[in-house]
Amino acid sequence: MSVSRRKALQIGGVGIIGALGLAVPLSSVDAKSASQLDAKNMPKLYQRTLPIPPVLAPKSTTMGADGKKTHLYQIEQTACMGNIVPGLSTPLLGYNGLFPGPTIKVNQGERITLEMDNVLPLFHPQWGYRLDTSTHLHGSASLPQFDGYANDLTGRGLCKDYEYPNFQPARTLWYHDHAVHNTAQSVYSGLAGQYHLHDEVEQNLLPQGKFDVPLTISDAMFAKNGSLGYNDNTHSGLWGDVILVNGAPWPVMKVQRRIYRFRILNASISRSYRFQLSTGDPVTMVGTDGGLMPSAKQVTSWRQAGAERYEILIDFSKYPVGKRVELRNLSNKNNVDYDYTGRIMAFDVTGDPVDSSGPAAKVMPTLLTGSNVMNLTPSQSVKTRRMRVKRDNDIWTIGGMTWDEVVKSGYKKVLADPNLNDVEIWEIENSSGGWFHPVHIHLVDFQILSRNGRPPFPYEQGPKDVVYVGEGETVRLLMQFGPHRGRYMIHCHNLPHEDHDMMSQFSVGYDSGDPDPNDPIEAVKPHPIGQIVPVPGGQVAPSSEETETAQATASQTAEATQTGGATTATETAAPVTTQPTVQKDVVTITTARHRLRKDISFAGTSKVTGTSTAASVVLYDATPGRAVTRIGAASINSLGNWSWSTKPGPSRQITMVRVDSSRGGTATASLSTK
Ligand code: C2O
Ligand code: CU
């Protein structure tokens, strides 16, 4: 699997050379590795035990009026140190300081509110961009305002309360950062974790507990001092020379002589794999991105691109005690491989007493379960849409669009606008040479109908939300749009492609110009950490009783709501609280302008300064003669400035604005209309 760098660029990057000339000076790159570690610090094969990320415990669980549980979880995104390469520490970003993040496990029908706190440094310590985040639960049909829309950003010191419905069939999901233009570097730095949705069907068919093992696989390169290296070859892709499983290089797992279930997530930002066991034996594939397949498949090797999930079963009872079975990578076209990227991890078969409790310990299941998406037939489709994925003038595009166009349209422009519950066929074509593109469609599960006119691979014959579109491939996908209305992203999951700018959106169930109560940016705003804010509309609000009592002793009602006698029902439905030690803010408005049907912008100052003091302002339409309504919110930066703008803005002229600081203090101003 060893190739020289020059060869690698020829194999892996015809397009790099063709489109851009060489992005990397060849002389600076060692032929056999991307990392610049000294030999003594370079990780070696099979020295580490496979780490298993901890399962996150809820902060609280409440019973809803409908008898269903709602779990409240909290995660802090922080800078942290990883122990990856021998003898050196690696600065990372982590969910609760962990890479991968803790695993969340939930049963179907139980809701989750996830308080996602951003306590990261204001700027990325290595790469300097501002560490605003947006968290996507990949595989969940969440409402748009909880889906990690790229521009629905949560800044330092703020928290966003994400609501996850968990009504879908059991599956392996993952949560990861989705911040506009910086997704690749933030995920690469560590912002990724698994999320397991269980249901009764799956719990009766497949191994559970310690025999249900998450394997989050990624690749990385390291600088001499142990920090992560980053080189995406001018947005083509990053190809690390060190393979990590659950954050450890080429680890080993001891196994009993029984059947295990592995949930394999490719969390690499660019690399795809072709997995195979060193024995050449097939694995039993039971699950795809969207959960159980209709029937199990015996698979000797399979290719898996970024964000794809496959659940496999391996029966270790057929191997003698002491046998080492390796999971290897045969790689695929358009990757760059190094000496050890063909190795992933190893399983050491032990003579430990076999725990054969639980389903599928000894006998492989064959028939699994159907699903709505796998029961769809092409005759139900009311529309076929075609889109191409390609590079245009150094910019990656999808369906002829870029995310920049979506942003410039005020988030209005869409690639497709299916009606609620419509079934459609989407055909995605990759005819440019040199690249593969894993295309991810948010909200839906889809069925792969064909690839280049032939049936999909056996291992793809289950519910999917990412499809591997290899060089010269055209895939046809069948899906039904729902159950939510609103705007959702579609993009390439080679994350440097996504960031530059291979992402677009589609809108479900709206005519253009319809009001959107599920606006992905406006419907639910982040709030300062530690404050409780009402969740307008959407799903059931978080367990407010529980959190209120927990906070009651340490909180007082802020002036913002005391003076807000005319705020709307949702604004007054729950108290806004702040820490009692906080001093009252003085807030000013320096810019207030609303040009009807063009744009609206506000800016101002606050006396809250410094990066450790999280604070924000909420803007209200205070036009005389109208009920006061919320327009938006902005965080106050470390210099005490805030600003907020949008295009084209509200359709009614606003003439007066009120600004409330989260630290108390309020100001009003009249607006310029030009
Ligand atoms: Cu896993 Cu839109 O992403
Ligand atoms: Cu791509």
Side-chain angles (χ1 to χ4, degrees):
M1 207 54 32
S2 165
V3 288
S4 74
R5 181 69 187 180
R6 183 177 297 277
K7 190 82 188 306
L9 280 168
Q10 284 163 358
I11 299 166
V14 177
I16 302 177
I17 296 162
L20 285 168
L22 288 171
V24 197
L26 288 177
S27 58
S28 72
V29 184
D30 185 77
K32 293 194 174 185
S33 68
S35 293
Q36 291 154 358
L37 293 167
D38 289 341
K40 66 174 192 299
N41 300 124
M42 188 67 192
K44 306 224 161 26
L45 297 183
Y46 313 141
Q47 303 298 303
R48 292 276 298 274
T49 300
L50 175 76
I52 304 292
V55 174
L56 190 64
K59 252 170 78 170
S60 65
T61 296
T62 49
M63 197 66 86
D66 54 1
K68 289 183 178 166
K69 288 180 183 163
T70 295
H71 306 285
L72 180 65
Y73 284 89
Q74 181 183 24
I75 289 180
E76 287 189 340
Q77 304 169 87
T78 64
C80 55
M81 282 292 175
N83 162 27
I84 302 175
V85 303
L88 296 169
S89 298
T90 302
L92 298 170
L93 309 179
Y95 291 113
N96 282 350
L98 298 172
F99 164 60
T103 303
I104 295 178
K105 283 186 167 275
V106 64
N107 293 319
Q108 188 184 43
E110 300 177 359
R111 288 176 292 252
I112 282 183
T113 297
L114 173 59
E115 298 177 1
M116 185 57 87
D117 295 343
N118 179 348
V119 289
L120 294 163
L122 190 57
F123 298 101
H124 193 288
Q126 285 174 269
W127 302 312
Y129 63 89
R130 198 175 154 130
L131 277 173
D132 297 332
T133 63
S134 177
T135 308
H136 173 50
L137 179 56
H138 185 139
S140 172
S142 307
L143 283 168
Q145 58 270 42
F146 304 121
D147 197 45
Y149 197 71
N151 295 68
D152 178 29
L153 295 169
T154 300
R156 180 189 157 83
L158 299 179
C159 166
K160 172 130 182 174
D161 301 317
Y162 289 93
E163 309 258 317
Y164 300 131
N166 304 316
F167 63 84
Q168 294 163 292
R171 61 188 59 202
T172 303
L173 307 91
W174 64 301
Y175 59 103
H176 65 79
D177 191 57
H178 215 304
V180 62
H181 295 319
N182 301 313
T183 296
Q185 279 157 304
S186 289
V187 171
Y188 181 69
S189 297
L191 294 179
Q194 290 203 18
Y195 181 114
H196 301 165
L197 173 55
H198 291 275
D199 68 14
E200 280 179 13
V201 177
E202 166 267 333
Q203 283 166 325
N204 287 313
L205 274 174
L206 299 179
Q208 304 287 318
K210 68 178 178 191
F211 305 108
D212 172 7
V213 183
L215 299 179
T216 296
I217 299 178
S218 57
D219 60 328
M221 60 175 83
F222 295 88
K224 197 175 167 65
N225 66 0
S227 63
L228 288 173
Y230 190 88
N231 173 5
D232 70 7
N233 303 294
T234 321
H235 308 150
S236 301
L238 176 140
W239 315 103
D241 56 344
V242 176
I243 303 294
L244 307 175
V245 185
N246 296 344
W250 299 290
V252 187
M253 180 189 180
K254 286 193 175 9
V255 293
Q256 298 172 12
R257 297 181 66 236
R258 57 157 283 163
I259 295 170
Y260 281 72
R261 170 189 188 182
F262 298 99
R263 301 178 186 250
I264 302 185
L265 159 65
N266 178 358
S268 281
I269 65 172
S270 301
R271 182 180 292 284
S272 77
Y273 301 85
R274 177 176 292 276
F275 294 112
Q276 187 179 47
L277 296 181
S278 54
T279 56
D281 291 333
V283 304
T284 302
M285 182 82 67
V286 292
T288 48
D289 307 331
L292 292 185
M293 309 167 82
S295 61
K297 307 282 176 185
Q298 299 303 306
V299 176
T300 316
S301 74
W302 72 100
R303 68 177 186 180
Q304 183 167 353
E308 287 189 288
R309 289 90 72 209
Y310 286 108
E311 294 189 30
I312 63 168
L313 305 182
I314 301 178
D315 185 357
F316 294 105
S317 70
K318 62 184 171 212
Y319 303 117
V321 171
K323 171 87 180 166
R324 168 167 283 177
V325 180
E326 289 175 65
L327 181 64
R328 291 195 177 152
N329 169 29
L330 303 179
S331 193
N332 304 297
K333 197 170 183 188
N334 301 316
N335 287 286
V336 176
D337 297 310
Y338 297 102
D339 284 2
Y340 296 103
T341 49
R343 309 297 184 95
I344 306 292
M345 66 174 292
F347 305 99
D348 282 348
V349 179
T350 69
D352 293 352
V354 174
D355 175 351
S356 54
S357 63
K362 289 279 164 204
V363 182
M364 286 286 180
T366 50
L367 260 188
L368 301 169
T369 190
S371 49
N372 291 343
V373 59
M374 294 310 290
N375 292 336
L376 294 175
T377 62
S379 62
Q380 291 171 268
S381 169
V382 297
K383 191 158 198 145
T384 299
R385 302 184 200 257
R386 297 188 170 82
M387 54 196 78
R388 295 181 64 182
V389 278
K390 62 185 178 114
R391 194 165 203 164
D392 270 338
N393 303 318
D394 295 356
I395 307 265
W396 297 105
T397 64
I398 183 162
M401 280 176 69
T402 61
W403 189 249
D404 194 46
E405 289 170 51
V406 173
V407 174
K408 290 208 169 104
S409 72
Y411 308 104
K412 297 274 184 299
K413 193 166 176 182
V414 297
L415 193 60
D417 55 350
N419 291 320
L420 189 64
N421 297 321
D422 272 4
V423 176
E424 296 194 348
I425 291 172
W426 286 17
E427 190 176 291
I428 304 175
E429 177 185 336
N430 174 17
S431 50
S432 45
W435 315 104
F436 63 87
H437 302 285
V439 175
H440 172 40
I441 305 176
H442 282 229
L443 176 67
V444 295
D445 294 339
F446 52 74
Q447 185 189 135
I448 304 179
L449 292 174
S450 65
R451 177 177 281 104
N452 291 351
R454 286 191 289 275
F457 299 113
Y459 54 84
E460 296 178 302
Q461 295 174 10
K464 294 281 292 166
D465 58 37
V466 181
V467 61
Y468 198 122
V469 193
E471 179 180 333
E473 294 181 356
T474 297
V475 296
R476 282 167 74 79
L477 313 175
L478 180 66
M479 69 209 101
Q480 181 166 34
F481 290 89
H484 306 308
R485 294 175 199 270
R487 281 166 283 154
Y488 289 93
M489 298 175 288
I490 169 173
H491 60 89
C492 178
H493 225 292
N494 177 333
L495 298 178
H497 294 190
E498 172 195 325
D499 284 338
H500 308 278
D501 205 20
M502 202 176 226
M503 181 157 75
S504 185
Q505 64 175 355
F506 58 96
S507 162
V508 179
Y510 289 134
D511 291 330
S512 65
D514 279 356
D516 184 357
N518 296 325
D519 186 290
I521 302 176
E522 295 303 322
V524 175
K525 285 290 190 180
H527 58 85
I529 293 169
Q531 277 197 7
I532 300 157
V533 292
V535 179
Q539 293 149 329
V540 177
S543 48
S544 51
E545 276 157 89
E546 187 110 295
T547 32
E548 267 171 51
T549 35
Q551 300 265 339
T553 50
S555 63
Q556 62 183 33
T557 305
E559 189 180 333
T561 46
Q562 288 172 350
T563 57
T567 52
T568 60
T570 46
E571 289 295 335
T572 51
V576 174
T577 60
T578 68
Q579 303 300 314
T581 50
V582 169
Q583 275 196 307
K584 192 175 153 184
D585 194 9
V586 177
V587 60
T588 70
I589 302 169
T590 54
T591 303
R593 184 176 72 185
H594 183 200
R595 297 186 297 185
L596 203 57
R597 281 178 286 276
K598 281 181 97 174
D599 56 16
I600 183 164
S601 52
F602 302 102
T605 65
S606 146
K607 84 170 185 196
V608 178
T609 58
T611 53
S612 63
T613 50
S616 63
V617 293
V618 178
L619 303 153
Y620 295 92
D621 174 359
T623 306
R626 282 185 205 162
V628 174
T629 52
R630 182 184 153 125
I631 310 169
S635 53
I636 298 167
N637 74 13
S638 58
L639 301 172
N641 297 317
W642 59 267
S643 65
W644 185 89
S645 62
T646 191
K647 284 188 226 177
S651 53
R652 288 200 300 177
Q653 182 71 52
I654 297 180
T655 61
M656 184 77 77
V657 65
R658 193 183 90 219
V659 176
D660 292 346
S661 168
S662 61
R663 305 281 175 142
T666 184
T668 54
S670 49
L671 277 76
S672 151
T673 55
K674 34 178 135 21

